[in-house]
Amino acid sequence: MTGRSIDRQQRWNAELPSSIFDKGSLGRRALTFPKWDGEKITAELPASMRRGERADLPALSEPQVMRHFTQLSTLNHHIERGMYPLGSCTMKYNPRLNEQIAAMSGLADLHPEQDVADIQGLLSALKTLERSLQELTGLAGCSLIPAAGANGEYLGMLTIRALHVARGDLDRLEILIPDSAHGTNPASVVIAGMKPRTIPSRQDGRIDLEALREACGPQTAGIMITNPNTLGLFEIDIVEVAEIVHAAGGRLYMDGANMNALMGKARPGDMGFDVVHLNLHKTMSTPHGGGGPGAGPICVTGELAPFLPGPWIVEKEDGSFDLEKIPGEGDESIHSYFGNVGVCLRALAYILRNGGNGLTRATECAVLNANYLLAQMKGFLHTEHAEGCLHEFVASGSEWKEKYGVRAMDIAKRMLDYGLHAPTIYFPLIVAEALMIEPTESESKESLDRFVGVMERIHAEAQENPELLLQAPQITPVGRMDEAAAAREPDLRWAGPCNCG
Ligand SMILES: *Cc1c(COP(=O)(O)O)cnc(C)c1O
Protein backbone atom coordinates (compact mmCIF):
# COMPACT_ATOMS: atom_id res chain seq x y z
CA MET A 1 0.00 0.00 0.00
CA THR A 2 2.68 2.45 1.03
CA GLY A 3 4.78 1.77 -2.06
CA ARG A 4 1.81 2.35 -4.27
CA SER A 5 0.86 5.55 -2.53
CA ILE A 6 4.36 6.96 -3.07
CA ASP A 7 4.05 6.22 -6.78
CA ARG A 8 0.79 8.03 -6.85
CA GLN A 9 2.23 10.92 -4.92
CA GLN A 10 4.96 11.29 -7.50
CA ARG A 11 2.46 11.08 -10.29
CA TRP A 12 0.37 13.77 -8.67
CA ASN A 13 3.34 16.05 -8.28
CA ALA A 14 4.31 15.57 -11.90
CA GLU A 15 0.79 16.43 -12.99
CA LEU A 16 0.24 19.27 -10.57
CA PRO A 17 -0.15 22.37 -12.65
CA SER A 18 2.11 25.24 -11.87
CA SER A 19 0.64 28.71 -11.86
CA ILE A 20 -0.65 29.74 -15.24
CA PHE A 21 1.65 32.75 -15.00
CA ASP A 22 4.65 30.43 -15.12
CA LYS A 23 3.51 28.85 -18.35
CA GLY A 24 3.60 29.73 -22.00
CA SER A 25 5.93 31.78 -24.04
CA LEU A 26 5.66 35.05 -25.86
CA GLY A 27 3.66 35.04 -29.06
CA ARG A 28 1.34 32.16 -28.28
CA ARG A 29 -2.33 32.86 -28.11
CA ALA A 30 -5.51 30.96 -27.38
CA LEU A 31 -7.83 33.48 -28.90
CA THR A 32 -8.13 35.13 -32.29
CA PHE A 33 -10.18 38.26 -32.52
CA PRO A 34 -12.32 38.79 -35.62
CA LYS A 35 -10.87 41.32 -37.96
CA TRP A 36 -12.13 44.85 -37.33
CA ASP A 37 -13.39 46.30 -40.57
CA GLY A 38 -14.75 49.54 -39.14
CA GLU A 39 -13.08 52.90 -38.95
CA LYS A 40 -9.56 52.95 -37.63
CA ILE A 41 -9.48 54.12 -34.02
CA THR A 42 -6.38 55.52 -32.44
CA ALA A 43 -5.66 55.09 -28.76
CA GLU A 44 -7.00 57.96 -26.73
CA LEU A 45 -5.57 57.04 -23.33
CA PRO A 46 -3.62 59.92 -21.84
CA ALA A 47 0.10 59.23 -21.72
CA SER A 48 0.10 59.21 -17.89
CA MET A 49 -2.21 56.19 -17.90
CA ARG A 50 -0.38 54.21 -20.55
CA ARG A 51 1.83 51.30 -19.66
CA GLY A 52 5.50 51.93 -20.24
CA GLU A 53 6.51 48.32 -20.56
CA ARG A 54 4.92 45.24 -21.94
CA ALA A 55 2.55 43.63 -19.39
CA ASP A 56 3.93 40.48 -17.87
CA LEU A 57 0.93 38.36 -18.80
CA PRO A 58 1.06 34.68 -19.70
CA ALA A 59 0.86 33.85 -23.39
CA LEU A 60 -0.57 30.39 -23.95
CA SER A 61 -1.99 28.37 -26.79
CA GLU A 62 -5.55 27.08 -26.65
CA PRO A 63 -4.62 23.47 -25.75
CA GLN A 64 -2.37 24.75 -22.95
CA VAL A 65 -5.22 26.77 -21.49
CA MET A 66 -7.64 23.87 -21.77
CA ARG A 67 -5.23 21.48 -20.08
CA HIS A 68 -4.42 23.93 -17.32
CA PHE A 69 -8.01 24.48 -16.31
CA THR A 70 -9.03 20.86 -16.80
CA GLN A 71 -6.19 19.79 -14.49
CA LEU A 72 -7.19 22.38 -11.94
CA SER A 73 -10.77 21.14 -12.04
CA THR A 74 -9.66 17.66 -11.00
CA LEU A 75 -7.59 18.72 -7.98
CA ASN A 76 -10.60 19.21 -5.77
CA HIS A 77 -13.25 16.64 -5.07
CA HIS A 78 -16.63 17.23 -6.68
CA ILE A 79 -19.85 15.31 -7.09
CA GLU A 80 -19.12 14.54 -10.75
CA ARG A 81 -15.92 12.85 -9.62
CA GLY A 82 -17.17 10.69 -6.80
CA MET A 83 -19.40 10.17 -3.81
CA TYR A 84 -19.80 13.19 -1.53
CA PRO A 85 -21.45 11.95 1.66
CA LEU A 86 -21.23 15.25 3.54
CA GLY A 87 -23.98 14.93 6.15
CA SER A 88 -26.55 17.70 6.36
CA CYS A 89 -25.30 19.25 3.10
CA THR A 90 -27.12 16.93 0.65
CA MET A 91 -24.47 16.82 -2.03
CA LYS A 92 -26.61 15.01 -4.58
CA TYR A 93 -25.96 14.93 -8.30
CA ASN A 94 -27.07 18.12 -10.07
CA PRO A 95 -28.69 17.16 -13.38
CA ARG A 96 -27.36 19.01 -16.43
CA LEU A 97 -30.91 19.77 -17.50
CA ASN A 98 -31.17 22.25 -14.61
CA GLU A 99 -28.17 24.13 -15.97
CA GLN A 100 -29.61 24.28 -19.46
CA ILE A 101 -32.90 25.68 -18.22
CA ALA A 102 -31.28 28.33 -16.02
CA ALA A 103 -29.03 29.37 -18.91
CA MET A 104 -31.85 29.86 -21.45
CA SER A 105 -31.34 33.34 -22.80
CA GLY A 106 -35.00 34.30 -22.27
CA LEU A 107 -34.33 33.85 -18.56
CA ALA A 108 -30.63 34.37 -17.98
CA ASP A 109 -30.32 37.57 -20.04
CA LEU A 110 -33.14 39.48 -18.33
CA HIS A 111 -32.38 42.68 -16.48
CA PRO A 112 -33.99 42.97 -13.06
CA GLU A 113 -35.24 46.48 -13.82
CA GLN A 114 -36.99 45.32 -16.98
CA ASP A 115 -40.67 46.14 -17.39
CA VAL A 116 -43.10 43.61 -15.91
CA ALA A 117 -44.55 43.07 -19.38
CA ASP A 118 -41.13 41.82 -20.55
CA ILE A 119 -40.62 39.27 -17.78
CA GLN A 120 -43.94 37.42 -17.85
CA GLY A 121 -42.21 34.10 -18.55
CA LEU A 122 -39.88 34.48 -15.60
CA LEU A 123 -42.69 35.57 -13.28
CA SER A 124 -44.76 32.60 -14.40
CA ALA A 125 -41.83 30.25 -13.68
CA LEU A 126 -41.25 31.74 -10.23
CA LYS A 127 -44.95 31.61 -9.40
CA THR A 128 -45.03 27.94 -10.44
CA LEU A 129 -42.10 27.31 -8.13
CA GLU A 130 -43.82 29.11 -5.23
CA ARG A 131 -46.93 26.97 -5.74
CA SER A 132 -44.90 23.78 -5.99
CA LEU A 133 -43.13 24.55 -2.72
CA GLN A 134 -46.45 25.40 -1.05
CA GLU A 135 -47.78 22.04 -2.21
CA LEU A 136 -44.69 20.22 -0.92
CA THR A 137 -44.83 21.91 2.47
CA GLY A 138 -48.61 22.13 2.91
CA LEU A 139 -48.49 25.89 3.54
CA ALA A 140 -50.34 28.82 2.00
CA GLY A 141 -47.68 31.45 1.27
CA CYS A 142 -44.14 31.50 -0.06
CA SER A 143 -41.23 33.89 -0.45
CA LEU A 144 -38.41 32.93 -2.79
CA ILE A 145 -36.28 35.84 -1.67
CA PRO A 146 -33.88 34.33 0.93
CA ALA A 147 -30.47 33.61 -0.57
CA ALA A 148 -29.63 30.61 1.63
CA GLY A 149 -31.00 28.42 4.37
CA ALA A 150 -29.74 30.66 7.15
CA ASN A 151 -31.15 33.67 5.31
CA GLY A 152 -34.54 31.89 5.28
CA GLU A 153 -34.28 31.31 9.03
CA TYR A 154 -33.62 35.00 9.47
CA LEU A 155 -36.61 36.01 7.34
CA GLY A 156 -38.77 33.44 9.12
CA MET A 157 -37.85 34.96 12.47
CA LEU A 158 -38.59 38.48 11.19
CA THR A 159 -41.97 37.26 9.91
CA ILE A 160 -42.94 35.66 13.23
CA ARG A 161 -41.76 38.78 15.05
CA ALA A 162 -43.81 40.99 12.70
CA LEU A 163 -46.93 38.99 13.55
CA HIS A 164 -46.38 39.40 17.30
CA VAL A 165 -45.63 43.11 16.92
CA ALA A 166 -48.76 43.63 14.79
CA ARG A 167 -50.77 42.17 17.68
CA GLY A 168 -49.08 44.40 20.21
CA ASP A 169 -47.34 41.38 21.70
CA LEU A 170 -44.02 43.18 21.98
CA ASP A 171 -42.40 41.08 24.69
CA ARG A 172 -42.49 37.79 22.85
CA LEU A 173 -38.81 37.56 22.06
CA GLU A 174 -37.80 34.09 23.10
CA ILE A 175 -37.26 31.33 20.53
CA LEU A 176 -36.89 27.82 21.89
CA ILE A 177 -34.26 25.68 20.19
CA PRO A 178 -33.66 21.99 20.87
CA ASP A 179 -30.02 21.10 21.50
CA SER A 180 -30.12 18.87 18.40
CA ALA A 181 -30.67 21.90 16.14
CA HIS A 182 -28.43 22.99 13.30
CA GLY A 183 -25.82 25.57 14.29
CA THR A 184 -27.31 28.30 12.13
CA ASN A 185 -30.58 28.25 14.11
CA PRO A 186 -29.51 30.12 17.25
CA ALA A 187 -27.36 32.46 15.14
CA SER A 188 -30.33 33.50 12.97
CA VAL A 189 -32.45 34.07 16.06
CA VAL A 190 -29.87 36.41 17.54
CA ILE A 191 -29.37 38.33 14.28
CA ALA A 192 -33.16 38.81 14.04
CA GLY A 193 -33.04 40.47 17.48
CA MET A 194 -34.62 37.61 19.40
CA LYS A 195 -33.37 35.39 22.20
CA PRO A 196 -32.55 31.70 21.76
CA ARG A 197 -33.26 29.35 24.66
CA THR A 198 -32.06 25.75 24.56
CA ILE A 199 -34.38 22.79 25.13
CA PRO A 200 -32.65 19.51 26.00
CA SER A 201 -33.14 16.28 24.05
CA ARG A 202 -34.33 13.04 25.58
CA GLN A 203 -32.31 9.85 25.61
CA ASP A 204 -33.83 8.88 22.24
CA GLY A 205 -32.69 12.13 20.60
CA ARG A 206 -36.12 13.82 20.49
CA ILE A 207 -37.31 17.03 22.21
CA ASP A 208 -37.98 16.63 25.92
CA LEU A 209 -41.69 17.50 26.21
CA GLU A 210 -41.55 18.16 29.95
CA ALA A 211 -38.71 20.63 29.50
CA LEU A 212 -40.66 22.21 26.63
CA ARG A 213 -43.77 22.69 28.76
CA GLU A 214 -41.71 24.31 31.48
CA ALA A 215 -39.97 26.66 29.08
CA CYS A 216 -43.14 27.94 27.36
CA GLY A 217 -44.71 31.14 28.61
CA PRO A 218 -45.85 34.65 27.65
CA GLN A 219 -42.30 35.43 26.50
CA THR A 220 -42.35 32.58 23.94
CA ALA A 221 -42.28 33.90 20.38
CA GLY A 222 -41.90 30.43 18.96
CA ILE A 223 -39.79 27.34 18.56
CA MET A 224 -37.32 26.51 15.83
CA ILE A 225 -36.92 22.84 15.09
CA THR A 226 -34.55 21.14 12.71
CA ASN A 227 -36.66 18.29 11.41
CA PRO A 228 -35.39 15.69 10.88
CA ASN A 229 -32.97 16.78 13.56
CA THR A 230 -29.21 16.70 13.26
CA LEU A 231 -29.21 13.09 14.37
CA GLY A 232 -31.22 12.31 11.26
CA LEU A 233 -34.25 11.55 13.46
CA PHE A 234 -37.83 12.58 12.87
CA GLU A 235 -39.46 14.46 15.75
CA ILE A 236 -42.12 11.82 16.43
CA ASP A 237 -43.97 13.97 19.00
CA ILE A 238 -44.22 16.92 16.67
CA VAL A 239 -48.02 17.23 16.88
CA GLU A 240 -47.80 17.46 20.67
CA VAL A 241 -44.92 19.93 20.42
CA ALA A 242 -47.10 22.07 18.13
CA GLU A 243 -49.99 21.98 20.59
CA ILE A 244 -47.81 23.01 23.51
CA VAL A 245 -46.17 25.92 21.66
CA HIS A 246 -49.37 27.16 20.01
CA ALA A 247 -51.21 27.03 23.34
CA ALA A 248 -48.53 29.32 24.76
CA GLY A 249 -49.06 31.78 21.86
CA GLY A 250 -45.85 30.91 19.99
CA ARG A 251 -45.35 29.87 16.39
CA LEU A 252 -43.48 26.89 14.99
CA TYR A 253 -40.55 27.26 12.64
CA MET A 254 -39.12 24.24 10.85
CA ASP A 255 -35.59 24.21 9.55
CA GLY A 256 -36.41 22.20 6.45
CA ALA A 257 -32.93 22.21 4.96
CA ASN A 258 -33.15 18.45 5.08
CA MET A 259 -36.44 18.02 3.21
CA ASN A 260 -34.63 15.27 1.34
CA ALA A 261 -35.90 13.04 4.12
CA LEU A 262 -39.55 14.11 3.95
CA MET A 263 -40.31 15.44 0.47
CA GLY A 264 -43.45 13.84 -0.92
CA LYS A 265 -43.95 11.84 2.28
CA ALA A 266 -44.86 14.33 4.99
CA ARG A 267 -45.68 18.04 4.96
CA PRO A 268 -44.56 20.50 7.63
CA GLY A 269 -47.89 22.35 7.37
CA ASP A 270 -49.77 19.17 8.29
CA MET A 271 -47.53 18.71 11.35
CA GLY A 272 -48.47 22.13 12.74
CA PHE A 273 -45.53 24.20 11.52
CA ASP A 274 -46.22 27.86 10.67
CA VAL A 275 -43.01 28.56 8.76
CA VAL A 276 -40.48 26.32 7.02
CA HIS A 277 -37.47 27.08 4.91
CA LEU A 278 -36.22 24.79 2.19
CA ASN A 279 -32.67 24.66 0.92
CA LEU A 280 -33.23 24.54 -2.82
CA HIS A 281 -29.50 24.18 -3.41
CA LYS A 282 -29.59 20.96 -1.39
CA THR A 283 -32.92 19.22 -1.86
CA MET A 284 -33.59 20.56 -5.35
CA SER A 285 -30.07 20.02 -6.66
CA THR A 286 -27.99 23.08 -7.44
CA PRO A 287 -24.20 23.03 -7.30
CA HIS A 288 -23.35 24.44 -3.88
CA GLY A 289 -20.60 24.68 -1.33
CA GLY A 290 -17.89 27.21 -0.79
CA GLY A 291 -20.44 29.80 0.24
CA GLY A 292 -23.01 29.91 -2.50
CA PRO A 293 -25.05 30.80 -4.38
CA GLY A 294 -28.08 29.21 -2.80
CA ALA A 295 -31.76 29.77 -2.25
CA GLY A 296 -33.64 29.28 1.02
CA PRO A 297 -37.29 30.12 0.30
CA ILE A 298 -39.72 30.09 3.20
CA CYS A 299 -43.28 28.83 3.11
CA VAL A 300 -45.72 30.18 5.69
CA THR A 301 -49.31 29.85 6.89
CA GLY A 302 -51.99 32.21 5.60
CA GLU A 303 -51.80 34.05 8.91
CA LEU A 304 -48.13 34.96 8.30
CA ALA A 305 -48.25 35.51 4.52
CA PRO A 306 -49.16 39.23 4.74
CA PHE A 307 -45.86 39.82 6.57
CA LEU A 308 -43.67 38.43 3.78
CA PRO A 309 -41.49 41.01 2.05
CA GLY A 310 -42.14 42.12 -1.53
CA PRO A 311 -42.04 42.04 -4.43
CA TRP A 312 -45.01 39.65 -4.47
CA ILE A 313 -45.77 37.97 -7.76
CA VAL A 314 -49.52 37.88 -8.33
CA GLU A 315 -51.44 36.17 -11.10
CA LYS A 316 -54.22 38.27 -12.57
CA GLU A 317 -57.54 36.97 -13.86
CA ASP A 318 -56.37 37.02 -17.47
CA GLY A 319 -53.45 34.75 -16.57
CA SER A 320 -50.80 37.48 -16.73
CA PHE A 321 -48.53 38.36 -13.83
CA ASP A 322 -47.97 41.55 -11.90
CA LEU A 323 -45.97 42.68 -8.92
CA GLU A 324 -47.32 43.93 -5.62
CA LYS A 325 -45.80 45.23 -2.42
CA ILE A 326 -42.68 46.45 -4.15
CA PRO A 327 -40.26 47.54 -1.46
CA GLY A 328 -39.95 51.31 -1.46
CA GLU A 329 -37.18 53.43 -0.08
CA GLY A 330 -36.69 52.77 3.58
CA ASP A 331 -38.43 49.40 3.41
CA GLU A 332 -36.19 46.63 4.42
CA SER A 333 -35.71 43.64 2.24
CA ILE A 334 -33.24 40.87 2.81
CA HIS A 335 -32.26 40.56 -0.85
CA SER A 336 -32.73 42.64 -3.97
CA TYR A 337 -35.47 41.78 -6.47
CA PHE A 338 -36.58 38.13 -6.46
CA GLY A 339 -33.69 36.43 -4.67
CA ASN A 340 -31.23 34.12 -6.41
CA VAL A 341 -33.34 33.52 -9.49
CA GLY A 342 -30.84 31.18 -11.20
CA VAL A 343 -31.02 28.76 -8.28
CA CYS A 344 -34.81 29.00 -8.20
CA LEU A 345 -35.00 28.11 -11.90
CA ARG A 346 -32.76 25.08 -11.42
CA ALA A 347 -35.03 23.97 -8.59
CA LEU A 348 -38.11 24.36 -10.76
CA ALA A 349 -36.46 22.30 -13.51
CA TYR A 350 -35.68 19.59 -10.96
CA ILE A 351 -39.24 19.58 -9.61
CA LEU A 352 -40.91 19.49 -13.03
CA ARG A 353 -38.55 16.88 -14.41
CA ASN A 354 -39.19 14.56 -11.45
CA GLY A 355 -42.85 15.31 -10.89
CA GLY A 356 -44.58 14.56 -7.60
CA ASN A 357 -43.94 10.82 -7.82
CA GLY A 358 -40.31 11.35 -8.76
CA LEU A 359 -39.72 13.62 -5.76
CA THR A 360 -41.29 11.05 -3.45
CA ARG A 361 -39.08 8.39 -4.98
CA ALA A 362 -36.00 10.59 -4.45
CA THR A 363 -36.86 10.72 -0.74
CA GLU A 364 -37.42 6.98 -0.59
CA CYS A 365 -34.09 6.26 -2.26
CA ALA A 366 -32.24 8.78 -0.06
CA VAL A 367 -33.61 7.09 3.07
CA LEU A 368 -33.01 3.60 1.69
CA ASN A 369 -29.40 4.43 0.78
CA ALA A 370 -28.68 5.84 4.23
CA ASN A 371 -30.21 2.81 5.94
CA TYR A 372 -28.26 0.46 3.68
CA LEU A 373 -24.97 2.12 4.66
CA LEU A 374 -26.01 2.17 8.30
CA ALA A 375 -26.75 -1.56 8.26
CA GLN A 376 -23.48 -2.38 6.46
CA MET A 377 -21.33 -0.33 8.81
CA LYS A 378 -22.93 -1.10 12.17
CA GLY A 379 -20.57 -4.01 12.71
CA PHE A 380 -17.36 -2.00 12.82
CA LEU A 381 -18.32 1.61 13.51
CA HIS A 382 -20.64 2.60 16.35
CA THR A 383 -23.79 4.35 15.12
CA GLU A 384 -26.41 6.29 17.02
CA HIS A 385 -29.53 4.77 15.54
CA ALA A 386 -31.15 1.78 17.18
CA GLU A 387 -34.25 2.02 15.02
CA GLY A 388 -32.91 3.04 11.61
CA CYS A 389 -32.38 6.54 10.24
CA LEU A 390 -33.88 8.86 7.68
CA HIS A 391 -31.70 10.37 4.93
CA GLU A 392 -28.50 10.45 7.00
CA PHE A 393 -27.00 8.92 10.11
CA VAL A 394 -24.43 9.75 12.73
CA ALA A 395 -21.58 7.41 13.58
CA SER A 396 -19.13 7.91 16.41
CA GLY A 397 -15.40 7.32 16.17
CA SER A 398 -15.04 7.20 19.98
CA GLU A 399 -14.36 3.47 20.05
CA TRP A 400 -11.68 3.72 17.37
CA LYS A 401 -10.13 6.57 19.33
CA GLU A 402 -9.92 4.49 22.50
CA LYS A 403 -8.73 1.30 20.82
CA TYR A 404 -6.47 2.54 18.03
CA GLY A 405 -5.76 6.18 18.90
CA VAL A 406 -7.31 7.61 15.74
CA ARG A 407 -9.90 10.36 15.75
CA ALA A 408 -12.86 11.16 13.49
CA MET A 409 -10.63 13.73 11.77
CA ASP A 410 -8.08 11.02 10.90
CA ILE A 411 -10.76 8.70 9.51
CA ALA A 412 -12.16 11.53 7.41
CA LYS A 413 -8.72 12.47 6.08
CA ARG A 414 -7.92 8.89 5.16
CA MET A 415 -11.14 8.68 3.13
CA LEU A 416 -9.75 11.38 0.85
CA ASP A 417 -6.93 9.02 -0.13
CA TYR A 418 -9.55 6.65 -1.51
CA GLY A 419 -11.18 9.29 -3.68
CA LEU A 420 -14.16 9.88 -1.40
CA HIS A 421 -15.23 13.17 0.08
CA ALA A 422 -15.22 13.03 3.86
CA PRO A 423 -18.49 13.03 5.79
CA THR A 424 -19.34 15.93 8.10
CA ILE A 425 -17.31 15.49 11.27
CA TYR A 426 -17.61 16.75 14.86
CA PHE A 427 -21.23 17.64 14.18
CA PRO A 428 -23.75 17.28 15.74
CA LEU A 429 -22.01 18.42 18.88
CA ILE A 430 -24.04 16.06 21.06
CA VAL A 431 -22.17 13.02 19.68
CA ALA A 432 -18.47 12.56 20.51
CA GLU A 433 -16.15 12.06 17.49
CA ALA A 434 -19.19 12.38 15.23
CA LEU A 435 -19.16 11.36 11.58
CA MET A 436 -22.37 12.41 9.88
CA ILE A 437 -22.98 10.45 6.70
CA GLU A 438 -25.50 11.34 3.98
CA PRO A 439 -25.17 9.28 0.81
CA THR A 440 -28.15 10.91 -1.00
CA GLU A 441 -30.34 9.15 -3.53
CA SER A 442 -27.99 9.67 -6.46
CA GLU A 443 -25.56 6.92 -5.39
CA SER A 444 -25.91 3.48 -6.93
CA LYS A 445 -25.62 0.28 -4.92
CA GLU A 446 -22.15 -0.25 -6.41
CA SER A 447 -21.00 3.10 -5.13
CA LEU A 448 -22.45 2.45 -1.67
CA ASP A 449 -20.70 -0.92 -1.59
CA ARG A 450 -17.43 0.71 -2.54
CA PHE A 451 -17.90 3.19 0.32
CA VAL A 452 -18.43 0.33 2.78
CA GLY A 453 -15.38 -1.46 1.35
CA VAL A 454 -13.25 1.63 1.88
CA MET A 455 -14.48 2.02 5.45
CA GLU A 456 -13.70 -1.63 6.19
CA ARG A 457 -10.24 -1.18 4.79
CA ILE A 458 -9.66 1.97 6.85
CA HIS A 459 -10.84 0.04 9.90
CA ALA A 460 -8.22 -2.62 9.19
CA GLU A 461 -5.58 0.07 8.71
CA ALA A 462 -6.54 1.69 12.02
CA GLN A 463 -5.78 -1.60 13.76
CA GLU A 464 -2.65 -2.55 11.86
CA ASN A 465 -1.02 0.76 11.00
CA PRO A 466 -2.78 3.74 12.60
CA GLU A 467 0.04 6.01 11.32
CA LEU A 468 -1.56 5.76 7.87
CA LEU A 469 -4.60 7.52 9.26
CA LEU A 470 -2.71 9.94 11.46
CA GLN A 471 -0.64 11.13 8.49
CA ALA A 472 -3.53 11.15 6.01
CA PRO A 473 -4.22 12.33 3.44
CA GLN A 474 -1.14 10.87 1.82
CA ILE A 475 -1.88 11.10 -1.87
CA THR A 476 -4.02 14.16 -2.39
CA PRO A 477 -2.47 17.23 -4.05
CA VAL A 478 -2.09 18.91 -0.67
CA GLY A 479 -1.71 17.24 2.70
CA ARG A 480 -3.32 18.12 6.01
CA MET A 481 -3.71 21.82 6.41
CA ASP A 482 -5.00 24.46 8.75
CA GLU A 483 -8.58 24.42 7.51
CA ALA A 484 -9.80 27.33 9.57
CA ALA A 485 -7.01 29.55 8.23
CA ALA A 486 -7.57 28.29 4.68
CA ALA A 487 -11.22 29.33 4.89
CA ARG A 488 -10.82 32.57 6.85
CA GLU A 489 -7.60 33.93 5.39
CA PRO A 490 -7.46 32.57 1.86
CA ASP A 491 -4.44 33.80 -0.05
CA LEU A 492 -5.56 33.70 -3.64
CA ARG A 493 -3.13 36.18 -5.18
CA TRP A 494 -0.34 35.14 -7.46
CA ALA A 495 2.65 36.91 -6.02
CA GLY A 496 4.92 36.64 -9.02
CA PRO A 497 7.72 34.14 -9.68
CA CYS A 498 8.57 32.54 -6.39
CA ASN A 499 11.38 34.38 -4.67
CA CYS A 500 10.47 32.78 -1.40
CA GLY A 501 14.03 31.49 -0.92
C1 LIG B 1 -27.35 23.49 5.44
C2 LIG B 1 -28.22 23.70 6.58
C3 LIG B 1 -28.54 25.00 7.02
C4 LIG B 1 -27.91 26.26 6.46
O1 LIG B 1 -28.15 26.44 5.10
P1 LIG B 1 -27.27 27.50 4.28
O2 LIG B 1 -27.87 27.49 2.92
O3 LIG B 1 -25.88 26.99 4.32
O4 LIG B 1 -27.40 28.82 4.96
C5 LIG B 1 -29.43 25.13 8.06
N1 LIG B 1 -29.96 24.04 8.66
C6 LIG B 1 -29.66 22.78 8.27
C7 LIG B 1 -30.30 21.62 8.98
C8 LIG B 1 -28.79 22.56 7.22
O5 LIG B 1 -28.50 21.32 6.86
Side-chain angles (χ1 to χ4, degrees), residues 87-304:
S88 195
C89 296
T90 313
M91 305 304 275
K92 62 170 78 171
Y93 176 69
N94 307 296
R96 285 299 161 272
L97 176 72
N98 302 358
E99 301 304 313
Q100 288 168 15
I101 299 293
M104 281 166 64
S105 70
L107 297 168
D109 295 345
L110 295 177
H111 190 281
E113 294 284 6
Q114 223 156 329
D115 198 88
V116 170
D118 297 342
I119 56 169
Q120 289 291 309
L122 176 69
L123 296 181
S124 162
L126 295 179
K127 196 71 200 170
T128 307
L129 177 60
E130 285 183 6
R131 288 178 180 145
S132 311
L133 300 181
Q134 285 166 212
E135 172 75 30
L136 269 175
T137 56
L139 288 162
C142 177
S143 169
L144 299 177
I145 290 178
N151 209 202
E153 294 167 17
Y154 174 62
L155 180 60
M157 287 300 107
L158 294 183
T159 308
I160 290 176
R161 176 87 184 118
L163 171 76
H164 292 316
V165 169
R167 299 170 152 192
D169 227 346
L170 301 181
D171 296 330
R172 285 193 186 271
L173 285 172
E174 208 168 78
I175 295 285
L176 307 170
I177 301 186
D179 61 6
S180 59
H182 193 77
T184 50
N185 296 179
S188 304
V189 169
V190 171
I191 293 175
M194 292 154 97
K195 295 182 194 136
R197 172 166 171 182
T198 307
I199 302 288
S201 297
R202 296 190 304 236
Q203 203 62 38
D204 71 349
R206 272 65 173 227
I207 298 174
D208 185 331
L209 295 180
E210 275 321 302
L212 177 65
R213 272 195 199 93
E214 268 168 40
C216 278
Q219 78 290 353
T220 306
I223 187 168
M224 193 174 205
I225 304 175
T226 303
N227 191 28
N229 67 25
T230 50
L231 290 171
L233 297 174
F234 185 75
E235 286 295 346
I236 40 181
D237 298 323
I238 191 60
V239 172
E240 209 170 337
V241 170
E243 278 167 15
I244 296 170
V245 175
H246 281 149
R251 295 293 176 272
L252 272 82
Y253 184 99
M254 180 172 126
D255 176 341
N258 292 331
M259 262 310 263
N260 226 36
L262 303 180
M263 179 169 63
K265 288 284 180 186
R267 308 195 307 170
D270 299 341
M271 300 171 206
F273 282 103
D274 300 278
V275 192
V276 57
H277 84 256
L278 302 174
N279 275 34
L280 298 189
H281 43 294
K282 295 179 181 170
T283 315
M284 305 301 174
S285 79
T286 298
H288 63 285
I298 60 172
C299 292
V300 302
T301 54
E303 174 196 44
L304 286 163

Side-chain angles (χ1 to χ4, degrees), residues 319-363:
S320 66
F321 295 88
D322 206 353
L323 298 177
E324 277 180 13
K325 200 180 175 185
I326 299 171
E329 264 177 57
D331 279 1
E332 281 187 57
S333 181
I334 57 160
H335 193 291
S336 52
Y337 303 104
F338 307 105
N340 277 337
V341 166
V343 179
C344 292
L345 292 171
R346 286 173 175 87
L348 180 62
Y350 182 79
I351 290 171
L352 295 179
R353 163 94 183 263
N354 280 292
N357 292 340
L359 295 179
T360 306
R361 178 124 180 87
T363 300

